Amino acid sequence: ATDRSTISVGLIQVHGSMKPTETLYSDSAFQGGAYKSYSERNTRTERVLNATGISAGFKHLFARKGEEITADINYFSGRMESDALYATTVYPQKGEQAMQDIRQQILGTGDNQFITMQSDYVRTFNKNAKLEAGLRAQLRSLSSTQGNYFYDPGTGQYVQVPNASVNYTNTDDVYAAYLSYSGSVKDFGYKLGLRAERSNYDAELLDTKQNFGNSYPISLFPSVFLSQKLKNKQELQMSYTRR
């Protein structure tokens, strides 16, 4: 943008699909070994993924050497769709006439959105002192829907099984800020830092209207790093951090 400012933009586009198939043969028996039945299951699955990501960044160098500020934002959104069909035929014995046909279908979708925003500031006061500060926000949103259906020969329709289905959404937001100062006095070095963070998590089962959540208030996480250079290329270090 200028001789001291830079702007960058990036784009990512994702598309993928797969259609796996599977055939499973199985023998069933009662406990103790009595023969029960033989079955063949054919599975056809189709999955499709589409996603888009956008990133943008800004960097500015101040006239004072060692002073700069950066800002970045990243956005990603994706959607997965799946369709699985299970057809199971049950026989009294292999090669005999079928006695039961079972059809099951599972339909699912999943959506996600991620947004990350961050800004950092750095200023060097002299060869031995530096100030660093920053802000960050991470916002996530997810949803998942999966329906489980069995075929009803009487109606010719697939009937949903409510207890085996999922319809769920949640948001997860984290906000943070940090500040640190480092320097040295002769052979003694130090770095002092403090980070503040808070977060919220909310979720809902849409079919039953059940809500869940956690809210973490602002918490402080200090850190201290000390070092002392000794003779004969030795150094003593001590640190304290809260996580």
Side-chain angles (χ1 to χ4, degrees), residues 73-76 113-117 137-141 174:
I73 181 170
N74 293 277
Y75 170 81
F76 181 85
Q113 289 185 341
F114 302 90
I115 301 177
T116 303
M117 297 173 285
Q138 179 178 283
L139 314 177
R140 298 191 297 177
S141 175
V174 181

Side-chain angles (χ1 to χ4, degrees), residues 22 26-27 41 43-44 53 83 93 96 107-108 114 124 129 139 144 153 155 173 180 186 221 241:
E22 180 184 58
S26 61
D27 291 303
R41 187 181 75 178
T43 304
R44 176 193 58 79
D83 180 355
Q93 298 280 347
E96 296 185 0
L107 301 176
F114 302 90
T124 302
L139 314 177
S144 178
T155 62
D173 301 333
S180 71
K186 295 184 178 180
F221 302 90
T241 60

Side-chain angles (χ1 to χ4, degrees), residues 12 80 174:
I12 180 172
M80 168 72 81
V174 181

Side-chain angles (χ1 to χ4, degrees), residues 59-238:
K59 182 177 182 179
H60 177 73
L61 302 176
F62 293 91
R64 182 187 292 105
K65 185 177 180 181
E67 184 179 11
E68 65 177 48
I69 187 170
T70 60
D72 299 277
I73 181 170
N74 293 277
Y75 170 81
F76 181 85
S77 176
R79 180 178 179 87
M80 168 72 81
E81 298 179 346
S82 63
D83 180 355
L85 183 63
Y86 302 86
T88 304
T89 305
V90 183
Y91 304 88
Q93 298 280 347
K94 184 177 182 180
E96 296 185 0
Q97 185 176 358
M99 63 180 185
Q100 188 179 14
D101 285 317
I102 304 172
R103 299 183 192 177
Q104 180 186 8
Q105 187 177 33
I106 298 179
L107 301 176
T109 59
D111 295 276
N112 62 72
Q113 289 185 341
F114 302 90
I115 301 177
T116 303
M117 297 173 285
Q118 181 169 333
S119 180
D120 298 279
Y121 172 77
V122 178
R123 178 176 175 180
T124 302
F125 293 95
N126 51 53
K127 294 182 179 179
N128 301 319
K130 179 187 292 186
L131 174 69
E132 298 174 87
L135 301 171
R136 178 183 173 91
Q138 179 178 283
L139 314 177
R140 298 191 297 177
S141 175
L142 303 175
S143 63
S144 178
T145 302
Q146 181 172 290
N148 197 338
Y149 303 84
F150 276 96
Y151 182 75
D152 184 354
T155 62
Q157 302 291 328
Y158 281 92
V159 180
Q160 186 175 9
V161 183
N163 291 337
S165 301
V166 175
N167 192 2
Y168 176 80
T169 182
N170 77 275
T171 58
D172 183 11
D173 301 333
V174 181
Y175 305 92
Y178 78 93
L179 177 69
S180 71
Y181 186 84
S182 60
S184 63
V185 179
K186 295 184 178 180
D187 293 334
F188 177 76
Y190 60 92
K191 183 174 184 179
L192 309 176
L194 181 64
R195 179 170 60 91
E197 183 175 301
R198 69 178 298 268
S199 60
N200 294 306
Y201 177 86
D202 295 293
E204 182 181 3
L205 295 174
L206 298 177
D207 293 333
T208 61
K209 302 302 179 181
Q210 290 177 277
N211 293 282
F212 310 88
N214 280 316
S215 180
Y216 298 93
I218 295 178
S219 299
L220 300 179
F221 302 90
S223 61
V224 179
F225 297 89
L226 305 175
S227 64
Q228 177 65 53
K229 294 181 180 180
L230 306 176
K231 296 180 180 180
N232 301 321
K233 298 182 179 180
Q234 299 181 81
E235 185 173 348
L236 178 66
Q237 298 179 345
M238 183 178 70

Side-chain angles (χ1 to χ4, degrees), residues 15-31:
H15 173 74
S17 63
M18 60 183 72
K19 297 181 179 181
T21 59
E22 180 184 58
T23 302
L24 178 66
Y25 307 96
S26 61
D27 291 303
S28 300
F30 290 111
Q31 186 175 2

